[in-house]
């Protein structure tokens, strides 16, 4: 047991840590909001929200935007206490966890759409599948998009209902304010065990368990989907019977991004996952725990910014190249177009089709 002077020193150290975390969280959350908002604004102003290539990225950016706003609200409430702050912070934490899980699922949904887009074009190229199959796949994609929002909300209903009815928000923001992902058991351990205290402890561990399990499932799903996409892309290119320098360059790019996408997702949430495991197993007063808190504020709060760079730039480059290609066609003379068509008829059809059909992939 710590002496009073030592306990006061530890409390002072924690106050310094949380004050630093507030500014880190505020800065990264602001960048995250700006990054995700840029993707949303681009999709809306370009009237591309309904585009099959843009729609999954739009919903992913939307969940990142709401998550970034929760991070911002938590950072602001840390320095500006309000009435009923414990109640507000408790429900803000639960709402933030909805968007954590939604962001995981929308990332899986995004990669799954990329894979299905490539698979459909592969099947259309080889087997000439009917339009009904394409419509069926589109319907499955809409169901997956809706489920990515519905499942996180349903998972957190017990935290909202049982937690508020059992007053689990009492003294919730006493130590960490409203900084997200810094939850603790509100009921002191030395108090007699009561039904309300048992419910609060159960909700605390339930929330951490939902976060860890959803991250693990999402990470494995992303690895599997991208690995399948890599193999399918190689079969797609090989089926054309022609592999030029451009096709090998595309294969190399796909292989690099099959590694880069899961690594970016893993690095973004690893500190938060390690913190969740430490809360379940070991003490939360060590220096390693403090270091992970800072890393978490730098990575988890920047989810929207990271997704904007990793996923958004790829889509933007693809659309820019597509517009430039269309502009080149429009500026060509009839003679040049006829010469290009005559020249392309002497080459295998598939190399340009391969690149165009898979431009949306990764």
């Amino acid at each position: 047991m710590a002496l009073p002077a030592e306990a006061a020193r530890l409390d002072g150290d924690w106050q310094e840590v949380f004050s630093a975390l507030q500014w880190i969280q505020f800065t990264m959350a602001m960048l995250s909001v700006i990054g995700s908002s840029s993707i949303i604004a681009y999709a809306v102003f370009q009237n591309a929200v309904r585009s099959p290539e843009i729609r999954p990225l739009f919903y992913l950016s939307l969940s990142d935007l709401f998550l970034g706003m929760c991070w911002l609200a938590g950072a602001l409430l840390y320095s500006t206490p309000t009435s009923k702050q414990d109640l507000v912070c408790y429900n803000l934490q639960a709402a933030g966890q909805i968007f954590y899980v939604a962001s995981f699922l929308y990332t899986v949904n995004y990669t799954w759409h990329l894979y299905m887009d490539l698979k459909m074009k592969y099947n259309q190229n080889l087997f000439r599948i009917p339009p009904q199959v394409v419509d069926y796949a589109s319907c499955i994609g809409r169901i997956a998009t809706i489920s990515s929002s519905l499942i996180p909300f349903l998972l957190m209903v017990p935290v909202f209902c049982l937690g508020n009815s059992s007053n689990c928000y009492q003294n919730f923001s006493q130590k960490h304010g409203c900084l997200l992902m810094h939850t603790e058991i509100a009921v002191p351990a030395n108090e007699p065990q009561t039904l309300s205290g048992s419910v609060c402890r159960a909700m605390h561990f339930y929330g951490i368990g939902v976060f860890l399990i959803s991250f693990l499932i999402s990470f494995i799903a992303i690895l599997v989907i991208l690995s399948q996409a890599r193999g399918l892309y190689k079969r797609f290119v090989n089926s054309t019977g022609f592999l030029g320098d451009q096709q090998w360059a595309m294969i190399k790019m796909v292989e690099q991004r099959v590694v880069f996408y899961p690594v970016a997702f893993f690095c973004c949430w690893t500190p938060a996952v390690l913190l969740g495991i430490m809360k379940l197993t070991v003490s939360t007063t060590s220096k390693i725990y403090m270091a992970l808190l800072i890393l978490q504020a730098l990575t988890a709060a920047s989810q929207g910014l990271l997704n904007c760079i990793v996923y958004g730039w790829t889509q933007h480059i693809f659309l820019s190249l597509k517009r430039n290609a269309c502009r080149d066609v429009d500026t060509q003379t009839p003679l040049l177009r006829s010469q290009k068509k005559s020249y392309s008829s002497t080459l295998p059809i598939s190399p340009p089709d391969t690149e165009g059909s898979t431009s949306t992939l990764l």
Side-chain angles (χ1 to χ4, degrees), residues 128-283:
R128 308 297 179 187
I129 60 175
Q132 291 80 4
V133 178
V134 179
D135 294 338
Y136 175 76
S138 178
C139 181
I140 295 297
R142 292 191 183 94
I143 294 175
T145 300
I146 296 173
S147 300
S148 298
S149 296
L150 190 60
I151 291 176
F153 176 76
L154 294 178
L155 287 174
M156 295 308 295
V157 166
V159 177
F160 281 109
C161 297
L162 296 178
N164 283 285
S165 62
S166 301
N167 297 327
C168 294
Y169 52 82
Q170 291 182 354
N171 299 323
F172 186 79
S173 61
Q174 184 176 6
K175 180 178 179 181
H176 54 75
C178 272
L179 297 178
L180 264 63
M181 301 193 74
H182 301 295
T183 58
E184 298 174 348
I185 300 177
V187 180
N190 57 357
E191 283 193 1
Q193 189 77 1
T194 61
L195 179 60
S196 177
S198 299
V199 171
C200 293
R201 286 186 175 87
M203 291 299 99
H204 172 76
F205 292 117
Y206 172 78
I208 297 176
V210 167
F211 172 75
L212 296 177
I213 293 173
S214 60
F215 169 82
L216 180 62
I217 294 175
S218 300
F219 182 67
I220 293 175
I222 291 172
L223 284 177
V224 172
I225 292 172
L226 291 177
S227 299
Q228 292 293 322
R230 174 179 175 272
L232 184 60
Y233 183 79
K234 281 192 171 182
R235 293 199 302 271
F236 190 21
V237 175
N238 289 331
S239 67
T240 64
F242 177 83
L243 289 178
D245 293 338
Q246 195 172 17
Q247 281 67 46
W248 283 114
M250 289 289 291
I251 290 176
K252 185 177 180 180
M253 181 190 69
V254 170
E255 289 179 342
Q256 290 174 346
R257 292 180 179 177
V258 164
V259 176
F260 179 63
Y261 281 8
V263 168
F265 180 80
F266 184 76
C267 292
C268 183
W269 289 103
T270 296
V273 170
L274 294 177
L275 283 173
I277 295 174
M278 289 184 68
K279 291 176 183 178
L280 295 176
T281 56
V282 298
S283 174

Side-chain angles (χ1 to χ4, degrees), residues 49 95 104 118 176 361:
V49 177
F104 296 162
L118 176 61
H176 54 75
L361 176 68

